[in-house]
Amino acid sequence: MRTATTVELSASQTAHAAETVEFVVEAERLGLDMCWVAEAWGADAPSALGYLAARTDEMLLGSGIIQVGTRSPVLVAQTAITLSNLSGGRFLLGLGASGPQVMEGLHGIAFDRPLSRIRETVEIVRQVFEGGKISYSGREFQIPRPGGESRPMRLSTRPEHPIPIYLATLSPAMLRLTGQLADGWLGTSFVPEGADQAYFAHLDEGLAASGRARADLDICQGAEVAFAPDEDALREMVAGRKTELAFSLGGMGSASTNFYNRAYARQGWSEVAAAVRERWQTGDRPGAAALITDEMVLATTLIGTEEMVRDRLAVWRNAGVNTVRLYPAGETLGEKLETLGRAIELVRAT
């Protein structure tokens, strides 16, 4: 398995951003293979990626993710080409639909037909990469815009290296689309024991439709990694993660749309996921966190003694994960790097 992590830079917190950059630089020295840069509702990903490309030498750098709909497909392609060429071919284009809370609440863009929007964006981006004149007629996008005076154009720049496209998806329909179109899958809420039914069946269906196999798709999954010196420390660690997981199940997305909740439901926790969401939505956050079981935390993280983490990594590998995104625990930069270094060595041994 390859190793990766995800970071986010915040332009409003200069000290935090500087520490994040130092973390990425030191992570490359530890041997980390790739770093994804999140966008969410903080700093934009492409600006941070350009800066990190100048501070690193070998590490792959990816947008994790650019939210489809906030930029035109051609602008997405221009951004990808620029970052790839400037970094010497180290750029990975990660795209995702985000959710209604961000798209509608922050950007004022209707969160309707995300499936067709992603499909058409990927098709247009690949057309741009090919270097010809751009002409596309779809449900979401028409290039050139009809009824005007424009004609098809091509960019004055072309990619000097292949640019893999990864999709961050969770729903069955989006997973099938990922199998059909993408070079990699950026997943989350991953339980290897339930992955075949919740994720891989849909990915494989899409792969088969495009004449491909699982080996043609980079399965990139992420989880927090933390090492507990003993069982008492482990119990404390697990307890401390329950509020965060309750937020994912109850607070992510909108009142009616939560893809994380649905993902957990498909992996065997439908009743708990529904109850957590109900309590969170009514404001009972302690009550929501109390419903999260130790099993749920341990199943979806890489938290435990070193032996436990090593064993879980083997389970992830055997389930089909090609790249593991590591979110190292730690209060300080040094602690995070120590955790990351230990985890990288375990992945190599696995």
Side-chain angles (χ1 to χ4, degrees), residues 3 106 124 142 210 222 253 262 341 347:
T3 56
L106 184 63
I124 294 169
Q142 292 190 341
S210 61
R262 295 174 186 175
V347 173

Side-chain angles (χ1 to χ4, degrees), residues 47 71 78 90 105 107 144 168 174 177 189 203 261-262 270 327:
S47 298
R71 302 164 175 85
Q78 288 177 287
R90 293 189 288 132
H107 295 290
M174 284 291 194
L177 183 68
S189 306
L203 287 169
N261 190 288
R262 295 174 186 175
S270 57
Y327 307 135

Side-chain angles (χ1 to χ4, degrees), residues 84-130:
S84 178
N85 290 351
L86 286 176
S87 66
R90 293 189 288 132
F91 178 67
L92 310 169
L93 177 58
L95 302 172
S98 190
Q101 192 172 48
V102 172
M103 298 301 289
E104 297 182 354
L106 184 63
H107 295 290
I109 299 170
F111 188 73
D112 56 353
R113 303 190 300 273
L115 187 72
S116 60
R117 186 180 297 117
I118 285 189
R119 176 188 293 277
E120 294 186 15
T121 296
V122 172
E123 291 173 350
I124 294 169
V125 165
R126 288 217 166 106
Q127 187 181 129
V128 176
F129 287 170
E130 291 172 359

Side-chain angles (χ1 to χ4, degrees), residues 44-268:
D44 75 285
S47 298
L49 284 160
Y51 188 78
L52 291 174
R55 296 292 305 275
T56 55
D57 299 308
E58 298 180 356
M59 175 188 291
L60 296 174
L61 299 167
S63 55
I65 57 167
I66 286 177
Q67 299 151 346
V68 171
T70 60
R71 302 164 175 85
S72 75
V74 174
L75 178 56
V76 170
Q78 288 177 287
T79 302
I81 292 170
T82 302
L83 288 168
S84 178
N85 290 351
L86 286 176
S87 66
R90 293 189 288 132
F91 178 67
L92 310 169
L93 177 58
L95 302 172
S98 190
Q101 192 172 48
V102 172
M103 298 301 289
E104 297 182 354
L106 184 63
H107 295 290
I109 299 170
F111 188 73
D112 56 353
R113 303 190 300 273
L115 187 72
S116 60
R117 186 180 297 117
I118 285 189
R119 176 188 293 277
E120 294 186 15
T121 296
V122 172
E123 291 173 350
I124 294 169
V125 165
R126 288 217 166 106
Q127 187 181 129
V128 176
F129 287 170
E130 291 172 359
K133 291 185 177 180
I134 305 158
S135 179
Y136 189 89
S137 180
R139 183 179 184 183
E140 309 298 328
F141 304 102
Q142 292 190 341
I143 304 173
R145 184 176 175 85
E149 300 178 6
S150 59
R151 295 180 179 181
M153 298 175 59
R154 61 166 56 89
L155 294 187
S156 61
T157 184
R158 295 188 63 177
E160 299 170 1
H161 312 272
I163 304 176
I165 297 177
Y166 286 65
L167 294 181
T169 54
L170 282 174
S171 72
M174 284 291 194
L175 290 165
R176 287 191 290 271
L177 183 68
T178 302
Q180 290 175 10
L181 297 182
D183 301 296
W185 173 47
L186 292 172
T188 186
S189 306
F190 183 76
V191 182
E193 290 84 357
D196 283 340
Q197 181 177 355
Y199 298 122
F200 290 135
H202 309 297
L203 287 169
D204 289 343
E205 187 178 341
L207 287 164
S210 61
R212 301 193 300 163
R214 187 86 63 82
D216 298 312
L217 188 71
D218 180 24
I219 307 296
C220 182
Q221 275 294 340
E224 180 185 6
V225 57
F227 295 98
D230 52 47
E231 292 296 328
D232 290 338
L234 177 59
R235 280 191 291 271
E236 186 175 340
M237 281 184 177
V238 170
R241 271 67 177 181
K242 292 185 177 182
T243 298
E244 182 178 347
L245 182 50
F247 168 68
S248 294
L249 296 178
M252 290 292 286
S254 66
S256 60
T257 306
N258 184 319
F259 299 111
Y260 301 95
N261 190 288
R262 295 174 186 175
Y264 274 84
R266 294 200 308 273
Q267 294 178 101

